[in-house]
């Protein structure tokens, strides 16, 4: 097997959904007996100024995206749910039909905001907690 460059690996990660990437990180942690969670606070603290680093540590860093209603464009909402979660058609339809239900759980703020925008763009009503 040819060795992949760092750019090749990043290109592969860019194509993954959040769920796929999360599953990869879990598998990586198990295989190499490491924890990737320790890197995130270092990046946040390294990129932020002194006072801002303390504020960032106190802020909520995990959010749930909850579908509260499908609206008029249910098929579009199902498509967006499938893109966000990589669920099958039946599972995504069941999730949309059973609203209010969480679409994504314990995701970063920017991922939650992007998911909310995508779902609202498809006509759904969404809540981020």
């Amino acid at each position: 097997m040819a060795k992949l460059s760092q750019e090749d690996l990043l290109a592969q990660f860019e194509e993954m959904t959040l769920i796929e990437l999360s599953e990869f990180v879990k598998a990586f942690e198990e295989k190499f007996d490491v924890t990737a969670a320790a890197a995130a606070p270092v990046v946040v603290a390294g990129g932020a100024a002194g006072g801002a680093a303390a504020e960032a540590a106190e802020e909520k860093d995990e959010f749930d995206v909850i579908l509260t209603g499908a609206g008029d464009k249910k098929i579009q909402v199902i498509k967006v749910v499938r893109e966000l979660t990589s669920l099958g058609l039946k599972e995504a339809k069941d999730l949309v039909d059973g609203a209010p239900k969480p679409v994504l759980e314990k995701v970063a703020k920017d991922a939650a905001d992007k998911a909310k925008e995508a779902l609202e763009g498809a006509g759904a009503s969404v809540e981020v907690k």
Side-chain angles (χ1 to χ4, degrees), residues 4-18:
L4 296 175
S5 70
Q6 188 173 14
E7 290 80 25
D8 293 337
L9 287 170
L10 289 173
Q12 289 297 315
F13 292 140
E14 263 183 347
E15 295 176 12
M16 296 175 116
T17 64
L18 291 175

Side-chain angles (χ1 to χ4, degrees), residues 12-30:
Q12 289 297 315
F13 292 140
E14 263 183 347
E15 295 176 12
M16 296 175 116
T17 64
L18 291 175
I19 300 294
E20 291 170 334
L21 193 54
S22 174
E23 290 170 354
F24 169 78
V25 170
K26 287 177 187 171
F28 186 90
E29 289 175 342
E30 288 174 12

Side-chain angles (χ1 to χ4, degrees), residues 21-61:
L21 193 54
S22 174
E23 290 170 354
F24 169 78
V25 170
K26 287 177 187 171
F28 186 90
E29 289 175 342
E30 288 174 12
K31 169 117 178 138
F32 296 104
D33 195 29
V34 295
T35 304
V42 173
V43 173
V44 169
E55 289 176 21
E58 293 174 10
E59 288 182 18
K60 183 176 177 182
D61 60 351

Side-chain angles (χ1 to χ4, degrees), residues 36-85:
V42 173
V43 173
V44 169
E55 289 176 21
E58 293 174 10
E59 288 182 18
K60 183 176 177 182
D61 60 351
E62 290 181 342
F63 296 86
D64 295 343
V65 179
I66 300 170
L67 178 70
T68 56
D72 296 334
K73 301 177 183 176
K74 186 170 150 182
I75 293 172
Q76 293 300 103
V77 174
I78 292 171
K79 287 180 181 179
V80 173
V81 167
R82 288 189 68 202
E83 290 171 9
L84 293 171
T85 62

